[in-house]
Amino acid sequence: MVEKRSAADEQLERIAETVLDQMGFELVELERAGHRARPILRLRVDRADAELDRAVTVDECARVSRELEEVLDAREDLATSYILEVSSPGVDRPLRKLRDYERSIGKEIAVRSYEPLAGGSKRLEGVLQSVERESLRLMLADGTAVDVPLSAVAKANLVFNWDEYDFGKDR
């Protein structure tokens, strides 16, 4: 998975990761949007590894936002009027780091690639079977095992199967 980040984005990620780590959270994704005069910083945060079975609450996102704002407001390289959006990664959690893939083994994921993969498609969905340093192994719905080089991955995320979710019907 090749990800091109600017030096400023890498520095913002390090700052956010430091603050989040102290709070028991981890940075899933940092995205910049908006304009130079009014940039938008979108952060997706999740619980630290030990607590991934509990969802991040709205109150926790607000607390993370307040803590990060204190640090970001002191930075001269950010516009004085930026928008900070903090949210949970959601049911379609992005997979960016090797450890994201490792803890998603056995789950269904979607992969978008820079180049055509199995069958000429740039998008595959399947159950993640294994993760190596250089590639992912997916089991597609038809039973075909496909190896996807990490260097070819443009984007990957968990796939939530709405049909399998209970929504409390039996309660």
Side-chain angles (χ1 to χ4, degrees):
M1 166 180 61
V2 178
E3 199 170 308
K4 294 178 181 156
R5 312 278 300 160
S6 71
D9 285 350
E10 287 177 8
Q11 188 175 33
L12 278 173
E13 276 194 18
R14 282 192 301 276
I15 290 166
E17 286 172 341
T18 300
V19 171
L20 290 168
D21 186 52
Q22 293 168 358
M23 298 178 73
F25 295 97
E26 71 173 343
L27 179 64
V28 173
E29 186 173 48
L30 180 136
E31 177 188 10
R32 274 189 192 244
H35 302 281
R36 278 190 176 159
R38 185 132 167 114
I40 300 171
L41 300 176
R42 291 187 180 119
L43 281 79
R44 287 182 165 187
V45 301
D46 207 349
R47 298 192 175 280
D49 287 340
E51 298 186 84
L52 281 174
D53 57 333
R54 287 187 29 225
V56 176
T57 67
V58 172
D59 289 339
E60 289 169 326
C61 288
R63 189 168 55 96
V64 166
S65 181
R66 284 190 300 274
E67 291 288 327
L68 278 171
E69 281 175 346
E70 284 184 32
V71 175
L72 296 176
D73 285 349
R75 297 189 52 84
E76 292 178 15
D77 62 332
L78 270 179
T80 55
S81 137
Y82 65 89
I83 298 169
L84 179 62
E85 298 175 358
V86 178
S87 66
S88 74
V91 294
D92 61 346
R93 184 189 206 283
L95 306 174
R96 295 182 50 233
K97 301 171 184 163
L98 193 57
R99 74 171 182 252
D100 295 336
Y101 291 105
E102 289 169 344
R103 64 181 174 215
S104 298
I105 291 174
K107 296 180 181 175
E108 188 170 355
I109 69 169
V111 175
R112 279 181 274 167
S113 67
Y114 293 111
E115 57 200 46
L117 299 169
S121 177
K122 286 188 173 185
R123 186 179 189 285
L124 294 176
E125 258 186 46
V127 175
L128 182 59
Q129 298 292 301
S130 64
V131 180
E132 300 298 325
R133 201 157 188 74
E134 304 292 324
S135 67
L136 309 172
R137 174 160 282 205
L138 295 178
M139 183 65 67
L140 305 182
D142 67 2
T144 306
V146 176
D147 290 325
V148 178
L150 282 171
S151 61
V153 175
K155 228 173 185 184
N157 60 277
L158 292 177
V159 173
F160 185 78
N161 188 335
W162 292 97
D163 295 333
E164 292 178 9
Y165 192 71
D166 181 1
F167 292 110
K169 293 176 189 170
D170 296 333
R171 293 174 205 194

